[in-house]
Amino acid sequence: MYKFLISFLLIIIGMNTFSQQVAVPQLINMLDWTPKRIDTTLKKDGYILMQKDVDSTSSMYQYSWFDKQEDGRAAARSLVFMDARVKDLQSRLITYRTYSKDEYQEIASWLLANNYKSTAKYDFKEAQHTLYSNGTFTIRVKVTTTQLKDGKKYVAYELELGK
């Protein structure tokens, strides 16, 4: 009985951690959502609005999610979306960042399973950019390594998509 309860609790905790991820299809859909719908969805998933800048031609919203795991490790994610308007033209850019290598591998698997192919690679020393396209839509994946003064390294995995 105890093994069952422990297993059940681990599943619930694991699902809670993974539920904060924003899946690639949802990011793609967000390109057409209203800012209010994005805000409601992210806040429902535990994201906090950290910054909001709105003027007559552009807007930028930055959300963050942070959780300290029981093992002492931390999980952090952020999502930024920006809208720009010039006359009749409108554009949106979404940047999703995670520090989880496992989540990055899930994202990469999803891209490959959904016919996205690497079309270009750029190496900027601390950041590697790879463009993935399925023929109609392109997603930029950035892997950035930051080394702190104490020698610790942090790797950020970012997706950039826009329309």
Side-chain angles (χ1 to χ4, degrees), residues 42-86:
L42 292 175
K43 285 182 178 175
K44 182 179 141 204
D45 284 343
Y47 283 77
I48 298 169
L49 178 61
M50 304 297 286
Q51 184 177 355
K52 175 180 175 180
D53 292 321
V54 178
D55 63 31
S56 63
T57 60
S58 66
S59 60
M60 189 276 300
Y61 299 83
Q62 178 184 352
Y63 295 84
S64 295
W65 179 89
F66 180 80
D67 186 42
K68 187 169 184 177
Q69 308 294 316
E70 288 184 21
D71 63 2
R73 297 176 62 194
R77 297 180 179 91
S78 69
L79 187 142
V80 176
F81 76 91
M82 296 170 276
D83 291 327
R85 290 172 287 296
V86 177

Side-chain angles (χ1 to χ4, degrees), residues 3-21:
K3 288 181 181 179
F4 173 76
L5 287 174
I6 291 171
S7 297
F8 183 70
L9 288 173
L10 288 173
I11 290 170
I12 290 172
I13 291 168
M15 285 174 47
N16 186 34
T17 299
F18 289 113
S19 69
Q20 312 322 324
Q21 297 179 12

Side-chain angles (χ1 to χ4, degrees), residues 24 28 111 116 130-132 137-141 159-161:
V24 178
I28 293 169
L111 290 171
Y116 282 82
T130 305
L131 298 180
Y132 289 91
F137 192 75
T138 300
I139 297 174
R140 178 183 302 266
V141 176
L159 270 74
E160 281 186 358
L161 47 150

Side-chain angles (χ1 to χ4, degrees), residues 93-147:
L93 173 68
I94 294 177
T95 301
Y96 177 71
R97 177 184 298 148
T98 182
Y99 294 89
S100 166
K101 187 173 185 176
D102 291 338
E103 185 177 354
Y104 166 68
Q105 290 172 336
E106 288 176 27
I107 291 167
S109 294
W110 185 92
L111 290 171
L112 295 174
N114 287 276
N115 297 320
Y116 282 82
K117 310 262 187 276
S118 172
T119 58
K121 292 185 180 194
Y122 306 97
D123 190 347
F124 299 106
K125 291 186 183 178
E126 69 280 345
Q128 289 73 43
H129 297 213
T130 305
L131 298 180
Y132 289 91
S133 177
N134 65 359
T136 58
F137 192 75
T138 300
I139 297 174
R140 178 183 302 266
V141 176
K142 293 196 261 182
V143 179
T144 306
T145 303
T146 303
Q147 185 164 351

